[in-house]
Amino acid sequence: MNHNKLKQFKTRGLFFLIIILSFQNCKISHTYNAQNYDTYEILNKFNSVLNEFAPEYSTVIDGGFSNTKEGLPMGYTIFDLNDPDNYSILSENKSISFNEGHFYHFSSIFMDMSFSHIAYLDKGKVIIFKAVNCLDKGDDFNELIDFANKKIENNPHKKEIMERIQNYRNYGLYSSEDIHSMNVNCDCSPCE
């Protein structure tokens, strides 16, 4: 191989190496500090909160809100507000992964029981803001916003995450058997 061809080969090789490394770095920058959260433990906490706010669901489904053995939510949906491609819906047979420093919106799919809860995973703990869409019985939405602003202060995707937190009701699946009952059974904000 002559000197020019060897130089071109090394340059191309270096170019492809840089491209490969940049893709790896890209992957790393989108991977969060995942801690080993027990999926079933988190789902059980979600189930408890949902059953606390909508105990009447147990008259629809024996045992109330729960999850399958595969970790799929039954009667509700879960959306990762940090990564909206990470969600769980039984009808899609789609499981969710739980990651450190992420916010999750979970709510019943039945509109009249659809209290919105936002969970945050912090150093092995699950912090839950309950029924943030209910002015008369839930946690203060502004407290959630202040909390989120502090927790993701240095996150390079803060603007998008905060926008999704502010519009959490867009990240859920809702249905109603009664076409006249398209609101949650509380003084709500936002109300559909």
Side-chain angles (χ1 to χ4, degrees):
M1 210 181 259
N2 71 29
H3 182 67
N4 283 339
K5 284 188 178 182
L6 182 60
K7 190 174 180 180
Q8 282 180 334
F9 179 77
K10 285 182 180 178
T11 303
R12 285 184 187 152
L14 183 59
F15 174 74
F16 287 115
L17 181 62
I18 290 170
I19 289 173
I20 290 168
L21 288 175
S22 69
F23 279 121
Q24 286 179 339
N25 285 339
C26 195
K27 277 185 179 176
I28 291 169
S29 71
H30 288 88
T31 302
Y32 298 91
N33 257 346
Q35 231 180 35
N36 291 328
Y37 285 93
D38 183 309
T39 297
Y40 297 99
E41 185 178 315
I42 293 172
L43 290 173
N44 283 333
K45 287 178 193 269
F46 289 6
N47 295 337
S48 293
V49 169
L50 289 159
N51 285 315
E52 171 190 343
F53 278 85
E56 64 274 19
Y57 182 69
S58 65
T59 64
V60 177
I61 298 292
D62 192 34
F65 294 100
S66 61
N67 51 274
T68 66
K69 288 186 289 187
E70 296 77 27
L72 297 170
M74 295 179 63
Y76 67 103
T77 60
I78 309 168
F79 280 80
D80 183 339
L81 298 174
N82 291 56
D83 176 9
D85 292 331
N86 182 27
Y87 63 91
S88 190
I89 296 176
L90 179 64
S91 62
E92 293 184 19
N93 198 27
K94 185 164 178 8
S95 297
I96 194 164
S97 64
F98 291 109
N99 298 295
E100 174 70 19
H102 283 221
F103 287 89
Y104 296 87
H105 172 237
F106 62 102
S107 63
S108 170
I109 60 172
F110 299 104
M111 185 57 79
D112 59 342
M113 299 179 219
S114 189
F115 305 106
S116 285
H117 314 285
I118 309 287
Y120 178 73
L121 304 186
D122 187 22
K123 299 177 187 125
K125 293 184 291 183
V126 181
I127 300 166
I128 300 176
F129 290 83
K130 298 176 182 177
V132 294
N133 60 326
C134 288
L135 303 172
D136 55 337
K137 62 174 88 176
D139 288 327
D140 188 322
F141 181 69
N142 292 321
E143 287 180 18
L144 166 65
I145 295 301
D146 291 343
F147 176 84
N149 268 314
K150 290 175 187 157
K151 287 296 182 179
I152 60 172
E153 185 174 48
N154 298 317
N155 188 310
H157 305 287
K158 179 181 178 180
K159 182 180 176 187
E160 301 92 55
I161 296 168
M162 289 304 297
E163 188 175 301
R164 286 190 287 270
I165 291 171
Q166 299 245 354
N167 297 297
Y168 60 91
R169 288 296 285 182
N170 293 337
Y171 301 91
L173 181 68
Y174 316 104
S175 69
S176 176
E177 291 179 15
D178 177 2
I179 60 169
H180 302 292
S181 173
M182 286 305 291
N183 286 327
V184 182
N185 286 330
C186 66
D187 292 332
C188 57
S189 175
C191 297
E192 280 71 32

